[in-house]
Amino acid sequence: MDPALLREREAFKKRAMATPTVEKKPKIETTQGPPKDEAKRKMRPPSAPKLDASTYKTMSGSSQYRFGVLAKIVKHMRTRHQDGDDHPLTIEEILDETNQLDIGQSVKNWLASEALINNPKIEATPDGQRFSFKPVYKIKDGKSLLRLLKQHDLKGLGGVLLDDVQESLPHCEKVLKNRASEIIFIIRPIDKKKILFYNDRTANFMVDEEFQKLWRSATVDAMDDAKIDEYLEKQGIRSMQDHGLKKPVPKRKKTASKKRQFKKPRDNEHLADVLETYEDNTLTQKGVNPT
């Protein structure tokens, strides 16, 4: 290297070292805030843990999910009963038909040991392994329906709700259409529900028009049985007392009656001396004092 350049370089370094320089330092901020990363982290909402379908169904506290499974089973069992399928099914067959084979083992045990057995709409076999729908009435066809309505009519139990018949009788609409002439439908004014009665044709008779007018003119809507009885009694009509439902009087068991033995009166012969002494004492007390 050229020695002249080296000398110039050394001279430049000396002049630079001798010249004073002022360094500008950056201003320090007095307010210290959290780092940007921490601020962004605080502004983000905490992410909820992800739930898997399999883990959700096996959760111990999901009572709403359990009762949803049970409601679906009861609805399916009612539908298949109304379609004419009344043979009992196992818990596996029920879950297969309702497309619920993916439920957890705890829910399955709850259904088999508690929920289905205690449900009023489900009937279990004696061994507790199979289940079927439990209708309100044991009726399968039109003959059994008419038999039920006749029994209600003879015993004075009134009619049968159409909703209960539809739930209990398979192919209900078809049966009611075929037996329409033997059944009377009445709409209940309270809740507008239909009631079924047996159409007893032997009770049909002609009523005189004059009697019909008298019957329709009498208004007893605002009167109870006590007021009606009082009115009839004032009019001298006492024939209604023997009508109506009679309470059965319990029969008392007859006990074997023992024959009473009448004892003959006995004379107090063994007290003769005592009586004489008693009479003497009383005479002495009543009489004059000996002194």
Side-chain angles (χ1 to χ4, degrees):
M1 190 172 180
D2 191 0
L5 294 174
L6 291 175
R7 286 193 297 271
E8 292 179 3
R9 180 172 177 273
E10 292 296 332
F12 176 77
K13 284 183 178 182
K14 290 179 181 180
R15 287 194 302 270
M17 293 293 293
T19 304
T21 59
V22 180
E23 184 180 0
K24 291 184 179 181
K25 295 182 179 180
K27 294 182 179 180
I28 301 174
E29 295 180 358
T30 56
T31 57
Q32 295 181 356
K36 295 182 179 180
D37 296 338
E38 293 183 2
K40 290 181 179 179
R41 196 180 297 114
K42 289 182 179 180
M43 291 176 65
R44 293 177 184 174
S47 59
K50 295 182 180 180
L51 289 177
D52 189 9
S54 59
T55 58
Y56 172 72
K57 291 180 179 180
T58 55
M59 289 174 65
S60 59
S62 57
S63 60
Q64 185 176 1
Y65 169 73
R66 289 187 175 189
F67 287 104
V69 173
L70 177 61
K72 190 174 181 179
I73 290 175
V74 174
K75 185 178 180 180
H76 173 72
M77 298 295 284
R78 182 192 295 114
T79 303
R80 67 185 297 271
H81 175 79
Q82 292 172 348
D83 293 337
D85 299 333
D86 56 351
H87 59 279
L89 301 175
T90 61
I91 185 65
E92 297 293 339
E93 293 172 345
I94 293 173
L95 294 175
D96 186 15
E97 292 187 2
T98 55
N99 298 323
Q100 299 185 107
L101 289 174
D102 56 344
I103 66 173
Q105 187 62 35
S106 60
V107 180
K108 189 182 298 184
N109 295 336
W110 174 73
L111 289 171
S113 62
E114 182 180 351
L116 293 178
I117 294 177
N118 298 329
N119 194 285
K121 293 295 182 180
I122 301 297
E123 186 176 8
T125 54
D127 58 356
Q129 300 298 324
R130 294 178 177 271
F131 305 93
S132 60
F133 183 71
K134 185 179 181 181
V136 182
Y137 302 108
K138 297 289 184 179
I139 50 179
K140 295 183 178 181
D141 50 14
K143 292 182 179 179
S144 57
L145 174 61
L146 291 179
R147 194 181 305 115
L148 173 67
L149 295 178
K150 285 181 181 179
Q151 290 296 324
H152 275 246
D153 183 47
L154 292 174
K155 295 179 181 180
L157 300 176
V160 178
L161 279 172
L162 177 61
D163 296 341
D164 295 341
V165 175
Q166 289 176 343
E167 183 179 288
S168 306
L169 181 61
H171 309 291
C172 179
E173 299 300 330
K174 183 178 179 181
V175 174
L176 293 178
K177 186 177 180 180
N178 295 334
R179 301 283 181 172
S181 60
E182 301 176 85
I183 300 174
I184 298 176
F185 293 87
I186 295 178
I187 299 176
R188 191 162 59 183
I190 301 174
D191 50 8
K192 305 299 180 182
K193 289 187 177 182
K194 288 186 178 181
I195 313 296
L196 275 63
F197 291 89
Y198 174 64
N199 187 10
D200 189 3
R201 297 180 181 178
T202 59
N204 296 336
F205 60 93
M206 297 298 296
V207 182
D208 190 22
E209 293 183 1
E210 184 177 357
F211 183 77
Q212 292 181 14
K213 292 179 181 179
L214 292 174
W215 177 266
R216 291 167 183 168
S217 63
T219 56
V220 291
D221 295 339
M223 299 178 65
D224 54 3
D225 294 340
K227 291 182 179 180
I228 293 174
D229 293 340
E230 183 180 355
Y231 174 78
L232 293 175
E233 188 176 356
K234 289 181 180 180
Q235 300 297 325
I237 302 173
R238 306 177 65 86
S239 60
M240 295 297 292
Q241 294 180 356
D242 297 333
H243 295 277
L245 297 175
K246 294 183 179 179
K247 295 182 180 180
V249 180
K251 295 182 180 180
R252 296 181 180 178
K253 295 181 180 180
K254 294 183 179 180
T255 56
S257 59
K258 298 181 180 180
K259 294 183 179 179
R260 295 182 180 179
Q261 296 179 357
F262 295 96
K263 296 181 180 180
K264 296 180 180 180
R266 296 179 180 179
D267 296 334
N268 296 330
E269 297 177 355
H270 61 288
L271 298 176
D273 299 336
V274 178
L275 290 174
E276 290 179 358
T277 306
Y278 177 75
E279 290 178 355
D280 294 339
N281 291 336
T282 53
L283 289 173
T284 305
Q285 291 176 1
K286 290 181 179 180
V288 183
N289 293 332
T291 57

